[in-house]
Amino acid sequence: MLRNRRIEGLMALALISPFLAIYGLVFVYPTIKMFMLSFTDAPLIGAGDWVGLENYERLPRDRRFHTSLWNTFYFIVLTVIPGTLIALAIALGVSRLKGWLQSFVLALFFLPYILPVSVVYLIWDWTLNFQFGIAMHLLDWLGLDRVPVTKSTDWFMPAIGVVTIWWTAGFSILLLLAARRAIPVEIYEAASLDNSGGWSTFSRITWPLMWPVTALVLTIQLILQMKIFDQVYLFSQGGRPNDNMVLVYYVFQRAFQSNQGGRAAAVAVVLFFIVIVVSVMNFQLTRLSRGRDK
Amino acid sequence: MSSAAIAEETVVWWDFLGGGDGVRMKQMISDFNAAHEGEITIDATTLEWGVPFYSKVQTSVAVGEAPDIMTYHASRIPLAVEQGVLQEITADDMSKMGLNKSDYADATYDAVSIDGKQYAVPIDTHPIVLYYNKDLLAAAGMLTEDGRPKGMDSREAFTATLKALKDNGVQFPLGSVTADGNFMFRTIYSLMGQQDGELMTDGEFLAGDNAAKLENALSVLQEWTNEGLQSTYTDYPATVALFTSGEAAMMINGVWEVPTMADAYSNGTLFEWGAVELPVIFDHPSTYADSHTFAIPANQGGETSDAKHAAVLEVISWISKNSLFWATAGHIPAYGPVTASAEYQAMEPNATYSSLTANMIFDPKTPLAGVAGPIFDVMSSYFVPTLNGEMSPAEAVEEIKYELNDM
């Protein structure tokens, strides 16, 4: 018996070993390398000299680092919870539709998600264009002043937030709709027999039963938005990149534009820990709330 | 050609020429291949301009997979030399190509040399120029006898020209790429050059009165914005659109837009237009220029055969000597004998603005400079708010100075 166990264990290990090898090569090794690089003054490619903590000591004085840190958190606040709540509302709305209409509306909301980011950028950049954008003509028509959305610091992050929610909501909607459909209809029948109102049905049945999936959506969104790069990179091109800086963009800029691999690695290490800490906190919170339902 | 078996050399070529000039370069490549049938074939790939191109070059050189020849911006050469991605172009190479230092403008030749060593062969210079709509200027009485804009010799006179256009019902007398600080760097740097200002002296940014000169440059542009003489928050494509649709009477843009105008004009969809050297706002004429060059990657781990090296030199030599066609892309050929030729002198508006070759200034020689480089990004972030009246020039200069010196 015991030998069979061991053989099974070895079999399992053998089966996942190709994956482990690739994982080690493309993730574990570069991560270790990143930590080592962050203590040197290496350029993008090639070796550098050991400088100890110098790259880290510069961060508190580094204005662009502050901007990128602030913007990254601001962006999370703007997108994660609002985006998930919007997706939840849409999913519940769609779940009340029937037949082809449901598929049609769902497809409509899912469509942006399958667009590449460059297409998203083109659509919105022209929509918001200060001279020619349809959004600006709308403002004219309403008698309001035009706003240089992607070229101003106040409007940039909220605008990118809206675009991002529009772009990524489709996936969340799909997950949440599946969760809603998984709730047995008998429960709702029992609730209506007990004369449960709309709000109490939602808060006592729908919400708690959908919570595990909602928590998953929140987690996915959180990690995704912490690592935001493409939208900011595209929309701020030529505009005010350093005012709209986010952490991943800053790593990219230090590495590929300033040719400072060591300093880029230091920022990447900070980002690495932020993602881990926030993710762990998030798991704790969502698990705690799940514990409450027992 | 004798029928002796000569091994045909394939020259792998990378460029970043994606616009109208890319079309012309592809034409030149196929002409080259036709002229060298059985001897040399260029195998060309066009990559994305800017950061993607330069990152790819650097990584490919490091792993020994670089092309045999590539286009390179002169402004990026200081960084390239620091990274060790370029082979030196020796005096021997130059003589094999039949090219002389005296065939090039001093400023251009200097831009491809670091510490007395040459790292690239300039193919062109592409400065910025002032495009203008002759019909609108004439209607406002602002066109000279020989069809040029009036008021090109001082700040007051040029501002007066803009005001006259405004009074005559032109919505945007000057179309500027005010939403794109990267682009405006070229204009602002030109205006600094008109005061003999320098961005970097002895490794320090904006030292001494250079800061004041930058502030002057920003003040002029902000004044035009505040007076409603310049388009605000306009990105690159919108600027071109404002000009071609007649909403902007003049536009400061790169010479690479010449083919756009020429094509539209020959289709009968564009007004009478012209392009001239930038107005003299300060002390003397000065225009920012960059240069497209040919460079040979310093491929790691692979020795190039002599035959291959000779083929690469032949490519550079042939394209340089035949760069008259390249001038149709708007760029000013760097090779002197081409611009001195009667054919080039008959090309308009190219021949008119090529006079600015004498007044060209290039990027400061630092690894931080160059298109899509860090200096561009830092300055850009302060140019946009300043040009659109959100920030005072003095404040912008102070911030820029701090950030540049902190890099």
Side-chain angles (χ1 to χ4, degrees):
Chain A
M1 273 295 85
L2 197 71
R3 257 191 70 190
N4 277 354
R5 273 272 172 80
R6 184 180 290 178
I7 288 172
E8 261 179 31
L10 286 173
M11 275 290 290
L13 203 60
L15 283 170
I16 58 172
S17 63
F19 170 76
L20 280 180
I22 294 171
Y23 184 75
L25 192 72
V26 303
F27 180 75
V28 179
Y29 169 73
T31 307
I32 294 166
K33 189 94 182 148
M34 171 182 84
F35 277 94
M36 285 159 61
L37 261 182
S38 70
F39 299 110
T40 69
D41 62 359
L44 176 59
I45 291 174
D49 298 325
W50 186 266
V51 293
L53 287 170
E54 192 185 304
N55 293 328
Y56 293 96
E57 282 160 358
R58 292 181 79 138
L59 292 178
R61 295 198 312 271
D62 186 340
R63 215 184 294 187
R64 255 178 290 165
F65 176 68
H66 298 175
T67 311
S68 58
L69 205 58
W70 160 249
N71 275 341
T72 306
F73 279 105
Y74 183 33
F75 187 76
I76 290 169
V77 169
L78 283 169
T79 53
V80 177
I81 292 175
T84 306
L85 289 178
I86 289 169
L88 182 66
I90 293 171
L92 292 177
V94 170
S95 73
R96 288 171 170 266
L97 298 172
K98 297 280 174 279
W100 67 268
L101 190 65
Q102 188 183 52
S103 313
F104 175 74
V105 174
L106 185 63
L108 220 56
F109 282 114
F110 195 71
L111 203 58
Y113 181 68
I114 57 174
L115 293 176
V117 68
S118 47
V119 176
V120 172
Y121 160 69
L122 283 173
I123 293 172
W124 284 92
D125 198 48
W126 278 106
T127 307
L128 301 170
N129 184 290
F130 191 66
Q131 267 74 28
F132 300 101
I134 197 165
M136 296 300 140
H137 289 294
L138 194 68
L139 287 176
D140 291 348
W141 185 72
L142 292 169
L144 300 167
D145 282 344
R146 291 186 173 204
V147 183
V149 179
T150 55
K151 311 296 174 191
S152 79
T153 39
D154 298 348
W155 287 89
F156 186 85
M157 277 293 155
I160 301 297
V162 169
V163 170
T164 305
I165 290 173
W166 173 86
W167 181 39
T168 57
F171 184 65
S172 310
I173 291 169
L174 212 58
L175 286 175
L176 292 163
L177 184 63
R180 169 63 186 80
R181 281 184 182 156
I183 301 173
V185 74
E186 292 81 3
I187 299 181
Y188 286 103
E189 283 168 357
S192 68
L193 284 176
D194 290 341
N195 278 333
S196 166
W199 172 248
S200 64
T201 305
F202 172 78
S203 63
R204 290 169 185 230
I205 297 172
T206 312
W207 176 255
L209 287 173
M210 284 179 71
W211 172 248
V213 177
T214 312
L216 176 74
V217 169
L218 277 171
T219 310
I220 293 173
Q221 282 284 327
L222 187 68
I223 294 173
L224 200 69
Q225 309 309 4
M226 246 186 297
K227 300 189 299 181
I228 179 186
F229 170 77
D230 357 19
Q231 301 95 303
V232 173
Y233 176 72
L234 287 167
F235 277 91
S236 68
Q237 271 192 331
R240 303 162 71 163
N242 293 2
D243 294 342
N244 308 328
M245 201 50 75
V246 284
L247 283 166
V248 181
Y249 189 178
Y250 189 39
V251 175
F252 170 84
Q253 195 191 43
R254 278 277 172 221
F256 289 93
Q257 279 174 276
S258 308
N259 196 40
Q260 296 166 319
R263 292 186 67 180
V267 181
V269 168
V270 172
L271 178 64
F272 179 83
F273 282 116
I274 291 174
V275 173
I276 285 182
V277 168
V278 172
S279 304
V280 167
M281 270 168 47
N282 178 52
F283 278 125
Q284 289 300 333
L285 284 172
T286 47
R287 244 223 314 263
L288 277 178
S289 340
R290 263 222 299 279
R292 255 208 334 246
D293 303 332
K294 279 177 187 168
Chain B
M1 278 299 305
S2 66
S3 57
I6 292 176
E8 189 177 354
E9 286 291 340
T10 301
V11 174
V12 180
W13 159 307
W14 285 2
D15 68 36
F16 44 69
L17 304 162
D21 50 5
V23 177
R24 285 161 176 85
M25 189 53 95
K26 285 178 181 64
Q27 178 66 48
M28 291 179 82
I29 290 169
S30 72
D31 290 350
F32 176 92
N33 286 342
H36 295 77
E37 198 158 347
E39 299 165 43
I40 308 172
T41 308
I42 298 177
D43 172 12
T45 310
T46 299
L47 301 164
E48 197 186 340
W49 184 97
V51 178
F53 179 86
Y54 288 112
S55 307
K56 195 171 165 69
V57 165
Q58 208 200 332
T59 44
S60 64
V61 167
V63 297
E65 291 291 330
D68 301 317
I69 185 173
M70 60 189 172
T71 53
Y72 223 86
H73 286 96
S75 59
R76 301 273 311 196
I77 289 176
L79 177 62
V81 171
E82 186 187 72
Q83 293 171 332
V85 299
L86 301 184
Q87 273 189 44
E88 194 190 336
I89 309 279
T90 61
D92 184 43
D93 290 337
M94 286 296 275
S95 71
K96 276 184 186 151
M97 290 188 281
L99 304 172
N100 293 308
K101 188 180 164 183
S102 57
D103 295 329
Y104 299 91
D106 289 344
T108 314
Y109 201 82
D110 180 63
V112 296
S113 314
I114 304 280
D115 299 332
K117 287 182 178 171
Q118 187 186 341
Y119 287 97
V121 178
I123 175 167
D124 67 37
T125 50
H126 45 281
I128 50 172
V129 289
L130 180 74
Y131 291 85
Y132 60 100
N133 180 326
K134 288 185 180 175
D135 301 351
L136 289 176
L137 282 159
M142 283 295 135
L143 205 61
T144 61
E145 296 282 311
D146 55 356
R148 295 189 181 205
K150 282 184 184 171
M152 297 292 286
D153 51 3
S154 76
R155 177 175 176 172
E156 293 73 21
F158 191 71
T159 306
T161 301
L162 295 178
K163 282 200 168 122
L165 287 162
K166 185 88 183 170
D167 295 340
N168 207 40
V170 176
Q171 197 187 352
F172 302 111
L174 182 64
S176 290
V177 194
T178 44
D180 188 337
N182 268 331
F183 187 89
M184 288 311 280
F185 176 87
R186 307 165 205 256
T187 309
I188 292 160
Y189 195 59
S190 303
L191 294 177
M192 270 184 85
Q194 294 191 353
Q195 311 162 73
D196 293 313
E198 289 188 62
L199 197 54
M200 196 174 92
T201 43
D202 301 328
E204 193 190 341
F205 287 101
L206 298 172
D209 62 356
N210 286 321
K213 286 170 180 172
L214 174 60
E215 196 180 325
N216 293 340
L218 291 172
S219 302
V220 176
L221 293 161
Q222 193 179 63
E223 180 199 342
W224 292 340
T225 294
N226 293 345
E227 305 263 331
L229 304 172
Q230 178 173 250
S231 60
T232 48
Y233 297 113
T234 327
D235 58 21
Y236 188 94
T239 311
V240 178
L242 285 178
F243 180 72
T244 52
S245 66
E247 285 174 80
M250 296 196 263
M251 162 175 83
I252 294 176
N253 207 326
V255 290
W256 51 87
E257 287 297 345
V258 165
T260 312
M261 305 300 159
D263 294 350
Y265 182 72
S266 60
N267 296 339
T269 53
L270 196 69
F271 40 79
E272 292 286 332
W273 66 285
V276 286
E277 189 172 351
L278 294 187
V280 183
I281 301 299
F282 295 104
D283 312 335
H284 58 79
S286 171
T287 298
Y288 168 85
D290 199 346
S291 165
H292 291 135
T293 70
F294 283 127
I296 305 173
N299 224 344
Q300 295 306 310
E303 273 301 301
T304 323
S305 68
D306 288 348
K308 172 82 84 183
H309 189 65
V312 168
L313 294 181
E314 173 56 22
V315 171
I316 298 176
S317 169
W318 191 92
I319 301 266
S320 297
K321 287 169 183 168
N322 290 279
S323 57
L324 181 67
F325 182 69
W326 188 234
T328 61
H331 307 302
I332 304 173
Y335 187 60
V338 170
T339 46
S341 68
E343 292 96 328
Y344 184 79
Q345 291 301 326
M347 281 172 82
E348 282 302 343
N350 309 52
T352 304
Y353 62 68
S354 68
S355 63
L356 62 75
T357 310
N359 310 317
M360 281 187 311
I361 46 169
F362 286 84
D363 277 278
K365 281 197 179 177
T366 157
L368 299 166
V371 289
I375 289 183
F376 261 50
D377 274 358
V378 167
M379 296 183 91
S380 177
S381 284
Y382 295 104
F383 287 163
V384 176
T386 311
L387 298 179
N388 296 298
E390 291 176 38
M391 189 187 257
S392 77
E395 191 187 346
V397 171
E398 199 178 312
E399 299 285 336
I400 289 170
K401 192 171 170 171
Y402 170 87
E403 282 221 36
L404 288 180
N405 287 317
D406 190 47
M407 289 202 299

